[in-house]
Structure formats: structure tokens, C-alpha cells
């Protein structure tokens, strides 16, 4: 769209400025120098558009990200390398310069006599912001600035078009940086493990022993015992029912990322989601009381996690930590990670047969 506007506007402006072209030719300026004056004018417009577009996109991006947070109820982040933004702006300037250069090359079709004759009916008596009298050098540049002011509305439209183009390019880079790896960016905001297979155990089964046995399969990269969603724990301060996510050591997880603070390491520490922390006004270092079957224990909040699942009621706690509250707790789920290239369906069938 911007290219079409530039082509049309540049051609119309040259037709309207036949007198100036004739004057410059009569003064001894070559068609190349006259062409460069028009290129210079459009480069000014393009530079203004690029600066406005890039600046606007950087101001608009946080608004869009925040809107996404409100819609999805989780906190996200998107970082864009500035070098790509400057490269895109440079590409736009080069493209505008090339188009303007090609289009403005039509001035060679206007010899001085033809140009001056074509201008007899064109008289302007408005304020002259860039008078040419007493100008000895750079007449073509002064004319470029003069035309820029005289055609302010048209140039403003070009600036808006180029700004929108620049913002579109920047926004595309932001989206690409966020989704460049497919759905990995979305998975990273889940706040829970995204294993290849999730095995839920019966209450009488030895989850830790089975996990150890599964690691002996050549297709298995890792088997991690954890909790299912069979236990509900209440935070008494808010009367909020939480779903515990339990690991003996959270450093073995691959898709749980604290956005503030750290993983729980001790038996009296927990992590909660950033959604819950924002809604309830919880800070790192605060104490919360967990309750299960009328048993209450106090825990310190050591970190926050982004989570777009379970409405933000995930509770992250170590095995030792949950056994303070539920002494009979046992892992009842295995997060199974397979080696790259393994056929998940085929391996699932193999496990089912055994």
C-alpha cells in the first residue's frame, strides 16, 4: 500500500512541479541532481514514518502484551532484538529510496523549455517558507524542503502509511520472536510439565519403583514421579482451593519457570502462581497457611510461576513440604519423557501390552 501511494504521489508531484524542474534545468542543474531532490524529499518522509512507526510499536507492544495477559490470565513476555528493528527500518528506507529514484527519473523527460511552458498557468501566492532569491548553492535541496511544506497534507498521509508499515514490521518481529519455535512459547506458560506421556497410578502401586523401572527402557529419557490432581489443599487466608504440584526436587522439571523468586527447596516453602499473587496481594516472603482435613501448617512463599492452566490455582511444593501437611502422601503420577525420534503411540502400546 505504501509503495502504491509513493508511486502515485511522486508522479503527481513531478507533474505539478514542472516549473521548478524547468527552473532548475535552466540554472544548470542536471536531471540527476533534480531527481535526487525528490528522492531526498521522500527519504525525509520515510525516515519520519519509520521513526514514528518504530516508536509507536514499542509503546503499543506492552499494551498488546498486557491485553493478552488479561485475556489468557497469565503473564507473558516478548523480547525483540533491536538490531532486527533497525534492519527493517533500513530496508523500508532503501525501498522508498529506490522507488522514489525510479519514479523521479521521469524528470529527464522534461526539457527546460517544455517545463517552463507547462508552468505558465501555475501560480502560487502563498507564504514562501524557503525563498530562492539570494540562494547560491543547494537550490535543489531547498526546493525539496519547499515542496515538503507545500504538500504537507500529502506528505502527512505518506508518513502515516509508512508508520503503519513500520509498526506492522515491528509487530511481526515481536510475534515471530514469541512464536518462532512453534507452540513452545505457549507451552512455556503452562506452569506444569509437558511430558510425552503422563502415567497415573493406582493408590496401591509403588510409583517411585515403577519410575525407576521405566528409565531402563531404551526409548525413555527420563521418568519423574509427581502428584496428580487427587488432593485439594485450602489456603486459609483466602479460602482458596489449590491443586498441589509436587516434586522431590523442582530442578528436575523442564517446563516450570519461576518469574520471580526461586523453586521451593525446604519443607516450609511453597511457590504460587503470579495470577494468585497479584489478585490476593501476596509478596515473596509472606507466610500462608495451608489446610487439609483440618490440619494446618504455615509455609513461606519463595517464588511465583506463570501458569495458564487450572485458573492459576496451582500450588508448587516439595515432597517433604507436603508430608508436613499430609504425612501419608505418596506420588501417584509419572511424567514420562521419551528420547527424540521415539514413536509415542507405539511406545504407549508397548507399555499397555506389558
Amino acid at each position: 500500500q505504501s509503495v502504491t501511494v509513493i508511486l502515485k504521489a511522486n508522479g503527481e508531484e513531478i507533474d505539478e512541479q514542472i516549473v521548478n524542474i524547468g527552473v532548475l534545468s535552466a540554472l544548470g542543474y542536471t536531471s540527476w541532481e533534480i531527481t535526487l531532490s525528490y528522492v531526498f524529499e521522500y527519504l525525509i518522509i520515510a525516515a519520519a514514518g519509520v521513526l514514528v512507526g518504530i516508536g509507536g510499536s514499542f509503546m503499543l507492544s506492552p499494551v498488546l502484551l498486557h491485553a493478552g495477559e488479561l485475556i489468557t490470565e497469565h503473564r507473558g513476555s516478548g523480547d525483540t532484538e533491536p538490531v532486527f528493528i533497525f534492519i527493517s527500518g533500513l530496508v523500508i528506507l532503501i525501498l522508498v529510496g529506490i522507488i522514489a529514484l525510479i519514479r523521479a527519473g521521469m524528470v529527464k523527460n522534461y526539457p527546460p523549455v517544455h517545463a517552463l511552458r507547462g508552468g505558465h498557468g501555475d501560480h502560487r501566492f502563498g507564504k514562501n517558507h524557503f525563498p530562492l532569491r539570494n540562494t547560491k548553492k543547494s537550490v535543489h535541496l531547498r526546493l525539496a524542503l519547499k515542496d515538503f511544506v507545500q504538500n504537507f497534507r500529502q506528505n502527512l498521509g505518506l508518513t502515516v502509511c509508512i508508520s503503519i508499515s513500520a509498526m506492522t514490521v515491528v509487530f511481526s518481529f515481536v510475534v515471530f520472536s514469541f512464536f518462532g519455535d512453534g507452540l513452545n512459547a505457549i507451552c512455556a506458560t503452562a506452569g506444569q510439565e509437558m511430558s510425552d506421556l503422563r502415567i497415573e497410578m493406582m493408590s496401591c502401586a509403588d510409583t517411585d519403583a515403577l519410575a525407576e523401572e521405566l528409565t531402563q527402557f531404551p526409548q525413555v529419557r527420563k521418568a519423574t514421579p509427581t502428584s496428580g490432581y487427587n488432593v485439594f489443599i485450602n489456603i486459609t487466608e483466602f479460602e482458596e482451593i489449590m491443586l498441589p504440584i509436587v516434586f522431590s526436587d523442582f530442578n528436575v522439571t523442564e517446563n516450570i519457570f519461576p518469574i520471580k523468586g526461586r523453586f521451593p527447596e525446604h519443607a516450609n516453602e511453597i511457590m504460587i502462581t503470579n495470577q494468585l499473587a497479584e489478585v490476593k496481594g501476596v509478596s515473596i516472603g509472606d507466610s500462608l497457611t495451608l489446610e487439609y482435613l483440618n490440619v494446618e501448617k504455615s509455609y513461606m512463599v519463595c517464588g511465583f510461576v506463570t501458569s495458564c492452566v487450572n485458573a492459576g490455582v496451582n500450588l508448587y511444593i516439595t515432597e517433604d513440604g507436603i508430608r508436613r501437611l499430609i504425612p501419608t502422601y505418596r506420588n501417584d503420577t509419572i511424567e514420562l519423557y521419551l528420547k527424540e525420534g521415539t514413536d509415542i503411540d507405539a511406545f504407549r502400546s508397548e507399555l499397555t501390552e506389558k
Side-chain angles (χ1 to χ4, degrees), residues 79-80 84 169-182 185:
D79 297 325
T80 303
F84 294 120
V169 172
V170 173
F171 182 72
S172 298
F173 274 116
V174 172
V175 173
F176 176 79
S177 66
F178 193 75
F179 295 102
D181 295 330

Side-chain angles (χ1 to χ4, degrees), residues 89-136:
L90 182 61
V91 169
I92 292 175
L93 290 177
I94 293 175
L95 181 62
V96 171
I98 293 174
I99 295 171
L101 181 63
I102 295 174
R103 189 62 174 170
M106 64 187 295
V107 300
K108 65 183 178 181
N109 298 323
Y110 296 99
V113 175
H114 174 73
L116 290 172
R117 286 178 178 175
H120 288 321
D122 184 21
H123 301 285
R124 297 189 181 183
F125 302 98
K127 183 177 180 181
N128 191 354
H129 297 277
F130 298 94
L132 298 180
R133 65 176 180 274
N134 300 326
T135 299
K136 297 181 179 180

Side-chain angles (χ1 to χ4, degrees), residues 136-163:
K136 297 181 179 180
K137 296 181 179 180
S138 303
V139 175
H140 59 302
L141 296 181
R142 185 173 287 267
L143 275 175
L145 294 174
K146 179 180 178 180
D147 292 340
F148 180 85
V149 173
Q150 289 177 344
N151 300 295
F152 178 76
R153 291 184 179 179
Q154 176 180 289
N155 295 334
L156 179 61
L158 283 174
T159 301
V160 171
C161 289
I162 295 174
S163 299

Side-chain angles (χ1 to χ4, degrees), residues 207-208 211-212 223-227 246-248 319 331 333-335:
T207 305
D208 295 337
E212 182 65 26
T224 306
T226 184
S227 60
V246 183
F247 289 94
S248 60
E319 289 183 14
N331 291 321
T333 302
I334 298 176
E335 301 282 5

